[in-house]
Amino acid sequence: RALNKTPGSYQDVLDYRGERVFAATAYLPSSDWGLVVKKDRAEVLVPVVNLYQVVLLAVATSLLLLVLIGWYLRRYILFPIQELTRVAKKIQKGTYQGDLFINSTNEVGSLAQAFKTMSEDLLEANESLENKVEHRTSSLRHALKEARAQKTRDDALLSSIVEGMVATDVHGKIILMNTAVCDMLGCTLKKQ
C-alpha cells in the first residue's frame, strides 16, 4: 500500500508474524520509498487496559462502599427513625406497650433511649392518673350516695315536723321548706 502511493492508517491488521498491529503507511516521493510503521496492539493498549482495570476496580470498590454505607444508614439511622415513628404513632393512638427495640450507640440510639425513657414515664404517669381518676370517681360516687341518703333523711325529718319551717340562704332565697308551710300558704312542693 505504501509503494502504491496510498497513505493510510490501519487499526487491526496482521503483520508478517501473524500478530494484530496498528499500522500507518506513507509514500516518500523523494526517495521513492514506502514507509510502514507498526506497533503491536497489545503494547499500544497496555495503558488503556490498565486504565480499564483501574476504572473497573474503582467502580467495584465504589459500589461495595455504597452498599456498605447504605447498609449502615439503613441499620443505624433509617431503621431507628422508622422505629421511633412507629412508636410515636402508637403513643398518639394510646396503644403503646413499651415495645421500642433500638440498640444503636450513636446519636440516634441516644435519642431512641431518651424516647423510650420518656414513653415509659408517660405510661407510668398515665397509669397513675387513671388510678387517681378511678379513686376520685369512687370517692365522688360514695359522697353522692351519702348526700342522697342525707337528703332522704332530711326530707323525712322535715316532713315529720308539724310546724312550718323555712330555710333561706344569706340573700333570703328559700332553699328548703316543709309541707306544713305549703299547707299554710296554699302552695305545692316540687319533688327533686
Side-chain angles (χ1 to χ4, degrees):
R1 290 178 187 164
L3 293 175
N4 287 336
K5 302 178 184 173
T6 11
S9 61
Y10 309 97
Q11 295 181 5
D12 194 16
V13 292
L14 295 175
D15 69 356
Y16 63 92
R17 299 170 300 167
E19 297 290 326
R20 295 195 176 280
V21 295
F22 287 107
T25 60
Y27 176 71
L28 303 173
S30 61
S31 60
D32 195 31
W33 283 15
L35 177 65
V36 177
V37 177
K38 72 164 185 91
K39 196 77 163 169
D40 288 348
R41 280 180 64 91
E43 187 179 344
V44 170
L45 295 177
V46 165
V48 174
V49 169
N50 288 344
L51 180 63
Y52 176 75
Q53 290 172 344
V54 167
V55 168
L56 190 61
L57 181 63
V59 166
T61 304
S62 297
L63 285 175
L64 179 63
L65 196 59
L66 282 173
V67 166
L68 289 175
I69 289 171
W71 174 81
Y72 176 81
L73 290 175
R74 171 137 170 69
R75 172 110 168 107
Y76 294 104
I77 294 176
L78 185 62
F79 173 73
I81 290 173
Q82 288 173 334
E83 184 69 5
L84 286 172
T85 303
R86 180 187 68 81
V87 168
K89 286 181 181 176
K90 281 185 150 190
I91 289 172
Q92 181 182 16
K93 291 178 185 176
T95 59
Y96 178 65
Q97 299 296 322
D99 59 346
L100 180 60
F101 304 108
I102 297 176
N103 296 323
S104 292
T105 56
N106 59 10
E107 290 83 5
V108 176
S110 297
L111 174 65
Q113 189 59 41
F115 193 82
K116 182 176 182 179
T117 303
M118 179 189 67
S119 301
E120 289 168 354
D121 290 348
L122 183 63
L123 281 174
E124 288 176 19
N126 190 31
E127 187 176 319
S128 173
L129 183 62
E130 286 177 359
N131 288 339
K132 286 179 183 177
V133 166
E134 185 178 324
H135 178 68
R136 184 68 178 147
T137 302
S138 175
S139 296
L140 288 173
R141 280 190 189 126
H142 181 70
L144 181 62
K145 187 176 179 181
E146 284 294 319
R148 285 183 180 154
Q150 185 62 41
K151 178 163 177 17
T152 303
R153 284 191 298 270
D154 291 348
D155 287 346
L157 182 63
L158 277 175
S159 296
S160 67
I161 298 175
V162 274
E163 290 86 21
M165 184 174 148
V166 176
T168 62
D169 62 12
V170 293
H171 302 291
K173 182 178 174 185
I174 297 174
I175 55 171
L176 195 65
M177 67 179 174
N178 66 357
T179 53
V181 171
C182 285
D183 291 342
M184 288 184 240
L185 298 176
C187 62
T188 57
L189 281 177
K190 286 185 189 176
K191 295 286 184 182
Q192 294 180 0

